[in-house]
Amino acid sequence: MRRRIPLIITFIIGVVLITGYFVTRGPFNTLYESFSDYFAIITVFAFILGGGSLLKIHLKRVSSRAADWPYSVVTLVAFLVTLVIGLFKVGNPGGMGGEILASGSWLRFMFDGVYNPLSATMFSLLAFFVASASYRAFRARTKEATILLSAAMVILLGRTPVGAWLTAWMPESLAFLELPNLANWIMAWPNTAGQRAIMIGIALGVIATSLRIILGIERNYLGRGE
Amino acid sequence: MRIPDSILQIDRRIIFLLIGAAVCIPLLLKPRFQDSPTPIVQSIFDTVERLPAGSRVFLSFDYGPDTAPELDPMAKALVRHTMTRDLEVSFFTLFPEGVGQIKKITDNLLPVEFPDKAYGRDYVNLGYKAGLGGAINTMVVNFRTLVNADAEGTPLDDLPITADVDEMVDYVIILSLTAGDPGLKEWIQFAGDIAGIPVMGGGTAVVAPELYPYYPQQLVGLMGGLKGASEYESALVDRYPAYRNATMEATMRMGPQVVTHVLIVLLVLLGNLAYFLGRAGRGNRAGRKGLAGRTGRGGQS
Amino acid sequence: MRLFPTTRIPRDLPSSYARPRAVLAVSAFAAIFSLHRAVSAFAAVSILLRGVFAFAAVFALPHADPVFAQAASESGWFNTDRTQALVLGIILTGAILLYVVLASAGRPLFIRKIAGLDTVEEAVGRATEMGKPILYVPGLNDMDEVQTIASMNLLGHLATIIAGYDSRLHVPVRKSLVMSVARETVQQSYLSAGRPDAYQEDDIHYVSDAQFAYAAAVDGIIVREKPAACFYLGGFYAESLILAETGNSIGAIQIAGTARPPQLPFFVAACDYTLIGEELFAASAYLSKEPRMLGSLKGQDAGKGIAIVFILVGSALATLESITGSETVREVSEIVLWLFR
Amino acid sequence: MDVTLMLWIDAALTLMILSFLYRDNPFYKFAEHLFVGVSAAYLMAVGFWDHLVPNLLGKLFPALMSGVVPGAVGRSPDYYYIIPAVFGLLLLTRLVDRWAWLSRWALAFIVGGAAGFNLPRFLDSDFIIQVQSTMIPLVVLDASGNLIWGASFSHIVLVLGVICGLVYFFFSVEHKGVLGHVSRAGIWVLMVTFGAAFGYTVMARISLLTGRMEALGAWLGSIF
């Protein structure tokens, strides 16, 4: 019972949505088109579980004086303050009816002043990591690694005016070997071939996995056994 | 320790330092590297050139401030181009943060560079719609159920530019500037393939490789990253020399790119040189990375 | 896929099903007739019936109801633009179902080695030896993505292995829903492994919905807890390399897998093993070796076979058309390739 | 908000995160924990006001929400939205041990929905259309019927590349003999793809750092 009903729900909703894709109107189609909406709503309910987990973990760290517990205080204070500001639209010029991110609101300040610089800087760490990763991984150890490395080098050079300058001496008849042209050719053809093979494979993986889920063959997500 | 080994096991913080320098120094010295458009970018430019004046264009800003350095130059170049060609542009976004990106164009660029263009007549801001790819789907199925007013809440019927827009197919082309999901891929899947509206646009250098497979059947053209933007700028400047000074934003930003790209290539070459020298010295045994020999790989490397 | 091969791990499965593709279809149909030998034929048939019902529903429901049917003929209930998708969908799902049925009827199925998955046990053992935790990152996507569901299934298998080894499994998640599912999955795995006491609910915890806040926190976990093994399985975005490089800097064994093609190059460069696209979906079948799962994998292969055949036929016809310029060839290819518009 | 203050906060937080490149340290820990707290609450609040209020409360109780949800006035309730409300509430049964098993119903709804929503989508766009776009002539002729070598070669590379790549993904057949060679070629195609995509992406990553450095530059500029 506890296990069968979820499987029946999965089956019905899966079939209804697939039907909704092929049927242009009626309840099936409505469900297909509204699924993203429904999902977003359920996600908000799930926030209660997520927020609860966050609070519990950090409160526990503080109360047990675990390593680095003062930082958990930072998280707790930041979380609660921002939550109150956001849910009650504190400082929002339009009051409770105002747009959530109206300029001048406190939440807007949290976004522009704290969230944004932190997010952008974390993101920018990638500039350093692509360099360290390529330094380490791009070694001609095996044939495969050599191919990877060569393709990367051609693109790296071809994507800058330096590539054009390096191969500008080539005769007109060999223009296709100039680095920017070679780089574009690799992107447009072999790269496309690889991407396509991966995409077709993924599509089949998604189709088969979805089918296994709908038919109840894959049911780990409900917990295994009984 | 032998020299090749010390090069191979260089502290990665030295690499970090070099990258930092390679970005900062060109930012201070501001060198300029001129570019020329490749076919995949030229195709967007030519399409915009060919559209008759008054054609309705849909321009979706599917990105936030994170990726603005790459995509803003494309947005500006496209807006300048479409406005110069007298096309009617509807701005839109599938990213909540995209609203701010549109505002930068409608508040700062358009009133200054195109004072004769009027809001509601020559361009309109349709604002943000939630629902990711599903939103596109809804717009294609029934445009007005999702979009019935502009970002300020003015009904579409009250704006001359949108009064006749009843369906998505009333737009001759969809342009998207893409930072991730949803973006060009979803526009292709839900609008291009299904409603037959041509789709083109630009993407960050991260999403662009994933979009190449759609070109040229499902995607008219693609600007990939800053380089794509700088190519579009140069196409624009070639055709409309008046923009020579205004639109070189991407071209200017190419300085740090050139230096870091060359630096990475040199580092990789150095690494390989050290690897081969080291391998020659040790009779070809080393170099295979495997679970057994992994323990030495820990710590700072 | 492993970029830098090491020792070969011997195959532990019979290769009895390694036949040329050409006879595949014939043998498949022959197999149906040998069904009577099947011990578990009943289970097999029930799956097939469910599958048939699923597609009958798609087809019939709009037409079964007379009111529906009339409306359909008048104003088009069925989206005719999607006829091909429907037909191909039936063919592909039919192929998958067929092999699921054959497999559950006891037909032995071969599965090739997927590098990385054989190392899981070794990695877990190493973590236990070193007394260090294992980090599992289920990606950024929510439960509305199939690859997240695949990741949860893998987490289930992994947790079963870990439960036997007595090491700590740490799962920071970005989405509350994923946390719920992960807790359910891991708890049940520990239960079925007979170690319900080892399950720690708080080790599977929510971090933040913000991509880079999540990345910052996971980076913090990596450098402070120094896990012996890091698994990155699911849908990843730009943070892939931030995590993988940090994991690399502490010398962890790293096994990654994603069906988000843009991130594959970074995992390939920075991790020890990477499951490429479809391999992520196959991993669950590979680890469980459950016949029905292996059968569906074989069905996926049939799908690739169909793709290859159509690409070859389509290109051949297009080539012929381009050389001869013949109208007849064009018409023939239009009929042959109707499925692909 | 004061522009100078914003510049200082921006610069301080930027430097705290960048310090991680050297090693883990108290500044990074502070920034990380601040980020987690602020962002989690921020996105919860936005989710509440952007999804729950207009899409659920606004759809079910338009009259009640008319002050908060623009356009809700005079709209009749949309009862389809009881579905997500019920499943959302079911999800919360996890909080009560006795009823926790009911939350599986909600998970079943979501997982089934994900499967049903994605199956046809991937079938259409990533299977059918990708196969279709690969059906291209292997020989490309110009208007007067002469062979164009370059384009023909490119087309052959694409078609063979896709096929080899697909063969690599065959799971149920052993990769030996002819199939082994083809699958090996498939790996090479994938390696070219990965190398190319990696190299192509470097530009985006450097752009991000450029953006951050420009922000730091603005801060330095405000001091000197």
Side-chain angles (χ1 to χ4, degrees):
Chain A
M1 173 71 172
R2 291 186 175 192
R3 210 164 155 77
R4 180 149 295 181
I5 291 181
L7 288 177
I8 292 173
I9 293 175
T10 306
F11 178 73
I12 291 176
I13 188 73
V15 171
V16 164
L17 288 197
I18 294 177
T19 312
Y21 184 78
F22 295 104
V23 175
T24 48
R25 54 191 83 175
F28 293 102
N29 192 248
T30 309
L31 285 171
Y32 181 81
E33 283 175 6
S34 317
F35 177 71
S36 311
D37 264 2
Y38 295 174
F39 182 77
I41 292 167
I42 298 177
T43 313
V44 181
F45 281 94
F47 275 151
I48 297 174
L49 298 176
S53 157
L54 185 95
L55 286 175
K56 189 179 161 196
I57 295 270
H58 288 282
L59 280 172
K60 220 163 132 184
R61 269 190 215 159
V62 174
S63 66
S64 68
R65 295 288 187 271
D68 289 339
W69 69 268
Y71 298 103
S72 287
V73 177
V74 175
T75 301
L76 286 170
V77 171
F79 179 76
L80 293 172
V81 168
T82 314
L83 198 62
V84 169
I85 290 176
L87 290 183
F88 300 103
K89 296 196 178 174
V90 178
N92 194 313
M96 286 304 265
E99 205 242 322
I100 172 98
L101 281 179
S103 52
S105 67
W106 289 20
L107 195 67
R108 183 61 189 246
F109 166 74
M110 288 307 233
F111 180 72
D112 288 340
V114 182
Y115 185 112
N116 230 356
L118 284 169
S119 180
T121 314
M122 268 316 285
F123 202 175
S124 75
L125 290 185
L126 280 170
F128 302 97
F129 289 146
V130 284
S132 60
S134 46
Y135 179 72
R136 201 183 55 250
F138 293 164
R139 298 258 162 87
R141 290 190 175 94
T142 60
K143 203 178 275 176
E144 283 77 21
T146 312
I147 295 173
L148 180 87
L149 149 84
S150 319
M153 290 301 108
V154 170
I155 303 289
L156 272 173
L157 285 175
R159 294 279 292 159
T160 63
V162 178
W165 172 77
L166 271 178
T167 44
W169 51 270
M170 284 200 175
E172 192 62 30
S173 58
L174 289 177
F176 64 94
L177 283 179
E178 281 175 22
L179 278 170
N181 295 335
L182 199 58
N184 270 330
W185 184 82
I186 291 178
M187 286 311 290
W189 301 98
N191 168 62
T192 300
Q195 298 279 0
R196 247 180 217 165
I198 295 173
M199 281 163 83
I200 294 173
I202 289 174
L204 287 166
V206 169
I207 291 169
T209 309
S210 302
L211 204 63
R212 293 201 298 250
I213 290 164
I214 293 172
L215 299 182
I217 298 175
E218 186 116 64
R219 50 173 81 167
N220 255 2
Y221 64 92
L222 289 174
R224 293 142 59 84
E226 181 53 21
Chain B
M1 199 193 284
R2 291 156 42 86
I3 294 171
D5 285 348
S6 58
I7 291 177
L8 286 176
Q9 285 161 26
I10 189 172
D11 190 325
R12 59 187 203 147
R13 288 176 290 195
I14 293 176
I15 297 176
F16 294 164
L17 208 61
L18 289 173
I19 291 291
V23 168
C24 292
I25 293 170
L27 272 181
L28 294 172
L29 302 181
K30 296 193 183 357
R32 264 194 187 206
F33 301 93
Q34 187 73 41
D35 230 327
S36 60
T38 48
I40 193 165
V41 173
Q42 187 71 43
S43 146
I44 304 178
F45 186 85
D46 294 344
T47 307
V48 174
E49 280 291 297
R50 270 201 307 272
L51 291 177
S55 301
R56 274 196 209 95
V57 174
F58 195 86
L59 176 50
S60 189
F61 285 60
D62 303 324
Y63 66 101
D66 287 354
T67 44
E70 264 185 289
L71 296 174
D72 269 357
M74 295 182 196
K76 288 178 187 163
L78 281 173
V79 167
R80 286 185 177 118
H81 194 192
T82 48
M83 285 295 144
T84 312
R85 297 279 313 144
D86 291 326
L87 306 178
E88 294 179 2
V89 186
S90 298
F91 300 115
F92 180 81
T93 177
L94 291 166
F95 271 50
E97 305 97 320
V99 177
Q101 309 306 319
I102 299 177
K103 280 239 175 281
K104 280 198 278 188
I105 298 287
T106 52
D107 293 359
N108 305 339
L109 190 147
L110 285 168
V112 177
E113 292 187 26
F114 300 93
D116 53 324
K117 297 283 180 187
Y119 184 86
R121 190 191 66 204
D122 302 301
Y123 63 93
V124 66
N125 177 6
L126 301 179
Y128 159 70
K129 287 289 174 282
L132 311 174
I136 305 176
N137 195 27
T138 313
M139 288 193 324
V140 169
V141 176
N142 193 340
F143 189 76
R144 289 285 181 121
T145 54
L146 194 75
V147 188
N148 46 26
D150 75 351
E152 310 295 325
T154 315
L156 291 193
D157 290 328
D158 297 351
L159 296 164
I161 180 171
T162 46
D164 299 339
V165 177
D166 295 316
E167 292 177 89
M168 198 70 214
V169 287
D170 289 330
Y171 288 97
V172 294
I173 200 144
I174 294 171
L175 283 152
S176 161
L177 299 169
T178 300
D181 295 346
L184 273 171
K185 187 172 174 182
E186 282 71 21
W187 285 108
I188 294 168
Q189 286 183 347
F190 293 109
D193 291 349
I194 286 171
I197 311 165
V199 176
M200 59 189 194
T204 59
V206 184
V207 298
E210 198 188 7
L211 296 168
Y212 268 93
Y214 296 108
Y215 170 81
Q217 271 90 359
Q218 294 155 274
L219 184 64
V220 178
L222 177 71
M223 288 178 273
L226 204 57
K227 167 101 166 132
S230 95
E231 288 177 23
Y232 202 91
E233 284 180 355
S234 62
L236 193 62
V237 169
D238 272 359
R239 177 76 179 74
Y240 305 100
Y243 286 122
R244 179 159 299 283
N245 289 319
T247 80
M248 300 304 274
E249 201 176 333
T251 313
M252 292 289 280
R253 290 218 176 104
M254 282 299 282
Q257 297 289 351
V258 175
V259 180
T260 39
H261 276 68
V262 172
L263 174 69
I264 292 176
V265 170
L266 290 177
L267 280 172
V268 171
L269 290 179
L270 181 74
N272 277 286
L273 190 71
Y275 168 70
F276 280 107
L277 287 178
R279 201 170 67 161
R282 276 191 304 268
N284 215 357
R285 272 180 299 111
R288 292 237 161 156
K289 168 174 114 176
L291 280 177
R294 296 176 45 88
T295 34
R297 212 162 58 80
Q300 303 285 352
S301 61
Chain C
M1 134 78 33
R2 164 143 241 215
L3 193 51
F4 314 111
T6 49
T7 44
R8 290 196 172 277
I9 297 159
R11 286 191 183 80
D12 54 354
L13 280 165
S15 58
S16 61
Y17 212 60
R19 289 192 203 164
R21 310 254 94 217
V23 296
L24 196 139
V26 182
S27 65
F29 284 110
I32 299 178
F33 296 105
S34 62
L35 253 185
H36 65 275
R37 280 183 291 145
V39 223
S40 53
F42 178 73
V45 170
S46 97
I47 291 175
L48 191 63
L49 282 179
R50 266 190 273 169
V52 168
F53 172 72
F55 269 93
V58 172
F59 244 152
L61 271 176
H63 310 287
D65 185 332
V67 184
F68 263 45
Q70 199 172 9
S73 58
E74 279 169 9
S75 49
W77 276 76
F78 178 71
N79 188 340
T80 44
D81 289 346
R82 294 178 181 170
T83 314
Q84 284 95 336
L86 183 62
V87 174
L88 260 174
I90 290 173
I91 293 175
L92 289 179
T93 51
I96 295 168
L97 286 171
L98 175 69
Y99 283 108
V100 168
V101 170
L102 289 181
S104 51
R107 187 162 193 107
L109 289 179
F110 169 82
I111 181 166
R112 76 158 160 91
K113 196 167 94 68
I114 299 180
L117 292 178
D118 294 320
T119 335
V120 168
E121 188 108 29
E122 197 183 333
V124 174
R126 184 169 172 257
T128 315
E129 241 169 63
M130 299 167 73
K132 288 180 171 178
I134 291 157
L135 180 74
Y136 188 97
V137 184
L140 249 66
N141 283 131
D142 211 336
M143 290 309 295
D144 61 338
E145 283 280 333
V146 180
Q147 55 182 320
T148 313
I149 305 173
S151 172
M152 288 297 106
N153 285 320
L154 283 170
L155 176 62
H157 292 297
L158 198 70
T160 316
I161 299 174
I162 293 172
Y165 271 95
D166 204 24
S167 25
R168 182 179 161 224
L169 171 66
H170 193 163
V171 190
V173 277
R174 181 204 178 199
K175 295 283 182 183
S176 317
L177 272 174
V178 180
M179 179 189 76
S180 277
V181 180
R183 283 181 172 176
E184 190 84 38
T185 310
V186 173
Q187 188 176 17
Q188 291 292 329
S189 294
Y190 276 68
L191 200 65
S192 62
R195 293 291 315 277
D197 53 304
Y199 170 67
Q200 292 292 331
E201 190 179 73
D202 288 346
D203 278 345
I204 301 165
H205 62 92
Y206 170 80
V207 175
S208 166
D209 264 57
Q211 174 184 16
F212 290 107
Y214 178 67
V218 176
D219 259 9
I221 292 171
I222 293 175
V223 293
R224 279 159 228 152
E225 294 186 357
K226 301 207 166 33
C230 300
F231 293 88
Y232 311 108
L233 299 168
F236 283 86
Y237 294 78
E239 72 295 336
S240 63
L241 192 67
I242 299 182
L243 305 180
E245 271 296 288
T246 309
N248 183 282
S249 76
I250 58 141
I253 296 181
Q254 304 203 93
I255 300 176
T258 183
R260 293 235 339 123
Q263 300 310 321
L264 282 167
F266 306 111
F267 278 145
V268 168
C271 294
D272 298 284
Y273 299 94
T274 306
L275 303 177
I276 300 171
E278 197 183 0
E279 291 179 325
L280 176 72
F281 298 106
S284 187
Y286 188 87
L287 287 178
S288 72
K289 303 258 167 32
E290 210 240 299
R292 292 185 303 177
M293 303 268 270
L294 293 178
S296 97
L297 215 51
K298 183 123 192 103
Q300 275 166 253
D301 281 2
K304 272 164 287 194
I306 292 171
I308 291 177
V309 168
F310 271 98
I311 289 172
L312 283 174
V313 171
S315 310
L317 286 171
T319 312
L320 211 62
E321 192 191 321
S322 131
I323 295 173
T324 60
S326 146
E327 192 65 17
T328 328
V329 177
R330 204 181 57 76
E331 280 166 12
V332 169
S333 64
E334 251 174 34
I335 296 166
V336 174
L337 304 178
W338 170 82
L339 264 184
F340 291 89
R341 281 184 278 246
Chain D
M1 193 55 71
D2 182 23
V3 178
T4 327
L5 181 69
M6 289 288 266
L7 274 177
W8 276 85
I9 297 177
D10 187 307
L13 294 176
T14 302
L15 291 172
M16 284 182 190
I17 295 284
L18 286 179
S19 72
F20 182 71
L21 291 171
Y22 180 67
R23 61 189 301 174
D24 191 26
N25 63 73
F27 295 108
Y28 176 75
K29 282 183 197 167
F30 172 80
E32 173 206 320
H33 283 81
L34 176 73
F35 194 10
V36 166
V38 169
S39 64
Y42 168 82
L43 287 168
M44 284 179 192
V46 170
F48 178 80
W49 285 108
D50 274 3
H51 291 295
L52 204 69
V53 172
N55 286 350
L56 184 68
L57 303 177
K59 291 269 164 69
L60 286 178
F61 318 105
L64 207 66
M65 288 290 128
S66 54
V68 196
V69 182
V73 190
R75 210 166 47 188
S76 55
D78 182 345
Y79 291 112
Y80 270 111
Y81 282 80
I82 291 177
I83 301 173
V86 167
F87 283 107
L89 289 170
L90 279 177
L91 193 72
L92 296 183
T93 56
R94 272 203 75 93
L95 297 170
V96 188
D97 275 348
R98 262 181 62 198
W99 297 335
W101 56 277
L102 273 172
S103 73
R104 286 183 181 180
W105 292 17
L107 299 180
F109 173 81
I110 288 162
V111 169
F117 188 71
N118 284 305
L119 191 152
R121 213 183 74 161
F122 274 86
L123 172 69
D124 224 345
S125 286
D126 282 20
F127 184 81
I128 299 183
I129 294 184
Q130 292 308 317
V131 170
Q132 178 207 13
S133 333
T134 314
M135 297 173 176
I136 49 173
L138 300 177
V139 174
V140 184
L141 307 174
D142 63 14
S144 49
N146 299 316
L147 182 67
I148 311 173
W149 286 98
S152 303
F153 177 70
S154 302
H155 282 207
I156 292 171
V157 166
L158 179 69
V159 171
L160 291 185
V162 173
I163 291 176
C164 295
L166 281 174
V167 167
Y168 167 77
F169 286 113
F170 271 116
F171 294 109
S172 59
V173 199
E174 200 167 356
H175 289 189
K176 61 180 186 189
V178 179
L179 207 70
H181 290 298
V182 178
S183 127
R184 193 81 199 274
I187 297 179
W188 295 344
V189 174
L190 295 182
M191 284 301 135
V192 173
T193 305
F194 294 152
F198 192 114
Y200 200 91
T201 313
V202 170
M203 183 157 282
R205 305 316 192 202
I206 302 300
S207 297
L208 297 166
L209 185 58
T210 309
R212 280 290 86 198
M213 289 302 145
E214 281 172 350
L216 280 182
W219 166 67
L220 286 174
S222 77
I223 304 174
F224 303 109

